[in-house]
Amino acid sequence: VEAQHAWLHGRITEAARRYAAVPARWPEDRGAWFLLGDLLYHGNPYRGRSSREARRPLERALALDPGHTGALGRLARIAALEARPADLDALVTQVLTLSPDQDQALALRALRAWTLGRPDEQAEVTVLLAGARALTLGIAFSDVAVYSGDLPGTARLGQALLDVARSDELRGYACLMLAMVAAARGRLDECRKLLDEA
């Protein structure tokens, strides 16, 4: 509870110390390993450290609970970040086997499709995302943008999502995300137009 409180109040280093103390005392506590990994995965970039540091605690959580889809999803994203395509494919396949209808499964399929350069799967996922919840769309787009290394593909996905956006809020979000991709590609005029549209 103290670790979670520290995290929620932006004291990530304190939260990491407190979370690390739990599996140090109870090494078979899979929840503690996952929470430590989750904190490092999400919190490390805010303190100038890599999300990759989450890999060891997440792997430990997964060893204790092979069906932990949260650990599998984060490890899949780390595999994409580390350019380990075989591991990414295996981890996404495992999530799809365990929980094919979970929102996370569709986002992970998008990550795999764009990271591994699979046009057929990209087309299928794009159609499925058109009918998905807004949260799933956001996670899928963010995952592809951050982890795939395919900015042109990310822009195509973003445009497809913008074309099917069902609300002003979702259109605004898609425009903001596309603006960031345009800026990353050095297309500043396009970025400005998208920001204006947002």
Side-chain angles (χ1 to χ4, degrees):
V1 170
E2 290 171 346
Q4 184 71 11
H5 184 267
W7 186 2
L8 292 173
H9 287 85
R11 299 188 309 271
I12 296 170
T13 300
E14 177 189 346
R17 181 181 51 78
R18 290 185 180 276
Y19 273 130
V22 178
R25 185 164 180 190
W26 295 282
E28 302 306 311
D29 186 334
R30 65 181 181 248
W33 283 111
F34 174 74
L35 290 171
L36 174 59
D38 194 47
L39 170 77
L40 297 175
Y41 175 80
H42 290 292
N44 267 2
Y46 293 107
R47 57 187 189 146
R49 297 174 69 167
S50 176
S51 293
R52 294 173 179 157
E53 290 179 28
R55 185 173 170 191
R56 182 183 164 275
L58 291 170
E59 286 175 341
R60 183 70 181 131
L62 193 58
L64 293 167
D65 181 2
H68 197 298
T69 56
L72 287 164
R74 282 155 188 75
L75 286 168
R77 291 170 178 96
I78 291 170
L81 186 64
E82 295 178 338
R84 294 183 289 113
D87 290 342
L88 168 62
D89 192 22
L91 289 160
V92 172
T93 299
Q94 198 171 349
V95 170
L96 295 175
T97 300
L98 292 168
S99 188
D101 298 325
Q102 186 183 34
D103 284 346
Q104 178 179 216
L106 185 54
L108 288 171
R109 283 191 66 197
L111 174 64
R112 179 177 67 183
W114 270 267
T115 303
L116 302 183
R118 296 179 173 175
D120 291 344
E121 189 172 19
Q122 290 173 7
E124 183 180 343
V125 167
T126 300
V127 169
L128 293 171
L129 284 171
R133 296 180 327 137
L135 178 61
T136 304
L137 292 172
I139 293 169
F141 184 81
S142 297
D143 281 354
V144 171
V146 172
Y147 302 112
S148 76
D150 180 4
L151 288 177
T154 301
R156 287 190 303 276
L157 173 62
Q159 188 59 55
L161 297 179
L162 180 59
D163 291 344
V164 298
R166 298 176 299 273
S167 69
D168 288 341
E169 291 82 5
L170 190 53
R171 286 189 59 75
Y173 172 78
C175 286
L176 288 173
M177 296 301 290
L178 281 168
M180 286 186 260
V181 172
R185 298 175 74 192
R187 298 179 174 188
L188 299 183
D189 288 340
E190 181 181 340
C191 175
R192 286 184 198 92
K193 287 178 186 174
L194 286 160
L195 289 173
D196 287 344
E197 187 175 342

